[in-house]
Amino acid sequence: MITKRIIPCLDVKDGRVVKGVNFGGLADVSSPVTLAEYYSRAGADELVFYDITASAEGRKLFTDILTEAAQNVFIPLTVGGGINALSDFERVLSCGADKVSVNSGAIANPNLIAEAAERYGSQCVVISCDVKRVDGQFRVFAKGGRVDTGMEAIEWIRRCVGNGAGEVVVNSIDTDGVKGGFDLPMLKAVCDAVDVPVIASGGAGSMDHFIELFQTLPRVDAGLAASIFHFGEVAISDLKEILSQNDINVRL
């Protein structure tokens, strides 16, 4: 049985971890290095770092914070934000990242995923897709959820996986920060479309939401969350214990 992963997400803006609702209303949380070290000790299976304004501001992703964090955590680290070229993959990986998450960069250059997968391997390439319902359709958004691309999300994700992405992070803008539960219909559509690991992101508000996620959608490989971990509402060790008690395989 595949072990389900619990992944805290660190959204970084101006060198600080922030968290908002529906991709807006950002509030300061903590130092990313301090928080990364804490989660590494607390039982997280992986960490995700997003420089959430790098693409919108047209700049390179932070590297000093990433380098310091990578030197002090001992679990896999996925990094995204401002990834627009192979040189960005190289820079992030050289700072200590294990996987690179690409979103707006792949939208602007659809060949980027194939080029990165060929050079670094599919296991290193993560397609992160910000998705929102528009007129009854799952729509892809770019620039940190600010720009509606007009593209249908499921077909876009299928195309990215076909080009070599080895993992998919599905960020539901509709449920982000609302704490009402993961977007199960959206996640089911993605799981039905691809055969690579799928990470659910957006909406976790309680331990029950993780139980519901993994029991309803066994194909989902991991649950990603931010505020419930950042603000101490759920301890990862407690969450994993509850999941195990519900016959969901996790690393204790």
Side-chain angles (χ1 to χ4, degrees), residues 103-196:
N103 185 343
S104 296
I107 294 169
N109 175 16
N111 294 323
L112 179 59
I113 288 176
E115 293 168 357
E118 181 177 0
R119 178 171 296 186
Y120 303 109
S122 291
Q123 81 288 341
C124 181
V125 183
V126 179
I127 178 65
S128 177
C129 196
D130 298 335
V131 187
K132 184 176 182 178
R133 290 167 177 81
V134 179
D135 298 329
Q137 182 185 61
F138 293 133
R139 198 76 63 79
V140 177
F141 277 66
K143 306 294 183 184
R146 296 169 179 80
V147 178
D148 183 353
T149 67
M151 294 192 299
E152 197 279 322
I154 306 305
E155 183 53 42
W156 168 246
I157 291 170
R158 185 185 288 117
R159 177 182 172 188
C160 291
V161 170
N163 285 341
E167 192 167 77
V168 178
V169 178
V170 183
N171 305 304
S172 172
I173 298 175
D174 293 321
T175 61
D176 175 72
V178 177
K179 299 183 181 179
F182 291 99
D183 197 325
L184 301 180
M186 182 184 294
L187 290 162
K188 182 180 187 304
V190 174
C191 288
D192 289 345
V194 299
D195 58 0
V196 299

Side-chain angles (χ1 to χ4, degrees), residues 6-19:
I6 302 301
I7 306 175
C9 177
L10 282 62
D11 293 330
V12 180
K13 181 178 186 291
D14 299 327
R16 298 285 292 178
V17 177
V18 296
K19 191 67 190 90

